[in-house]
Amino acid sequence: MIKILQYIADLLFPRLCPVCGRALNAGEKYVCALCMAELPRTGYHKIEFNAMEQLFAGKVPVERATGYFFYERGSRHAAILHSLKYRNQPYLGKWIASQFAKEIAGSGFFEGISAIVPVPLHRSKLAARGYNQSEYIARGIAEVAGCPVLPLVKAVKGHETQTSKGQHERLLNTVGVFKASAEAKRFAGSHILLVDDVVTTGATLLACAEAMKSSVPDIKISIATLAVARNAF
């Protein structure tokens, strides 16, 4: 009965792939199989001292860092991020993050991780958007990694969007924005995974990591993002 109702619903209100616009079949969720196969994966989890890890080297100690796919403005697959952030599709983020986690789980990337920490949104931006996309990405990864999702970093100050800013402007824009929560002290000596939707210059993630290290100096930090801006660093 459920399958019949789903079939009828798909006929009346077809679910469309955000990348190619094709109607999804019954076995596809959120993104069609062909577009998932063509996703421009970074493969960073297989590369020692990869470009993301180099981005944070000398700024804040990072154990491991990886992103799922390359993001390029105007590209077909950029629609995944746009749908997640601006078209009210948070569960797309959760689903594709779980696919990401399944693909890298065998590499040992999640070994030793005690908690998954989404980059927070300030309450004003959270109210405007209605959800934190990074939290949904964290939930998708947690389904595979088996770690709790915890708000160990808070956004204590609002800041302008980073989209149109250069590297130096992005760094200035994140000064004093984040603060570790009181609960973060409980993770002294532990290893956390900081999660965001996309890394461009790394300014936001760097500010979050610095906030954690400032409050809990011996905490270990790894980083995972859904997307990596191509040619950004």
Side-chain angles (χ1 to χ4, degrees):
M1 177 61 75
I2 294 176
K3 289 184 178 180
I4 294 173
L5 291 174
Q6 182 64 60
Y7 176 75
I8 295 172
D10 285 346
L11 284 177
L12 297 175
F13 308 102
R15 299 171 301 118
L16 304 179
C17 172
V19 179
C20 67
R22 183 181 67 79
L24 300 175
N25 64 40
E28 296 173 331
K29 295 190 69 173
Y30 299 105
V31 180
C32 75
L34 179 59
C35 288
M36 281 299 294
E38 295 177 343
L39 190 72
R41 292 163 172 80
T42 70
Y44 280 169
H45 63 286
K46 297 181 285 189
I47 303 173
E48 188 174 352
F49 198 46
N50 62 56
M52 267 185 73
E53 293 169 353
Q54 292 174 38
L55 180 65
F56 298 100
K59 300 171 185 174
V60 65
V62 169
E63 303 296 317
R64 300 186 285 272
T66 192
Y68 192 19
F69 65 92
F70 287 113
Y71 165 82
E72 190 171 1
R73 190 179 298 181
S75 68
R76 293 170 61 244
H77 288 89
I80 293 173
L81 275 188
H82 295 165
S83 296
L84 167 60
K85 294 181 70 170
Y86 307 120
R87 297 174 188 162
N88 195 31
Q89 294 189 41
Y91 285 97
L92 163 62
K94 182 181 178 183
W95 174 79
I96 199 166
S98 69
Q99 306 310 299
F100 173 29
K102 288 174 185 176
E103 289 184 23
I104 71 172
S107 71
F109 187 86
F110 301 120
E111 286 182 9
I113 301 292
S114 299
I116 300 174
V117 181
V119 168
L121 290 181
H122 186 258
R123 61 178 179 275
S124 58
K125 186 172 285 188
L126 183 60
R129 184 169 295 165
Y131 59 91
N132 178 2
Q133 69 276 5
S134 295
E135 182 180 340
Y136 280 83
I137 294 168
R139 290 183 192 176
I141 292 174
E143 286 183 347
V144 178
C147 306
V149 176
L150 298 174
L152 300 183
V153 183
K154 298 180 179 180
V156 295
K157 186 175 76 171
H159 67 288
E160 299 174 6
T161 181
Q162 300 277 64
T163 304
S164 61
K165 297 184 182 298
Q167 184 171 9
H168 183 63
E169 291 176 304
R170 286 172 182 250
L171 288 170
L172 292 176
N173 196 38
T174 54
V175 172
V177 168
F178 302 108
K179 182 180 180 181
S181 70
E183 188 183 5
K185 298 280 189 183
R186 190 164 61 85
F187 288 84
S190 297
H191 188 176
I192 66 163
L193 180 65
L194 197 58
V195 169
D196 204 3
D197 54 354
V198 60
V199 59
T200 304
T201 64
T204 300
L205 285 159
L206 177 61
C208 281
E210 287 177 334
M212 288 296 296
K213 294 293 286 187
S214 176
S215 179
V216 192
D218 62 345
I219 199 166
K220 296 177 181 178
I221 299 174
S222 285
I223 292 173
T225 62
L226 201 58
V228 178
R230 193 185 290 276
N231 301 323
F233 47 84

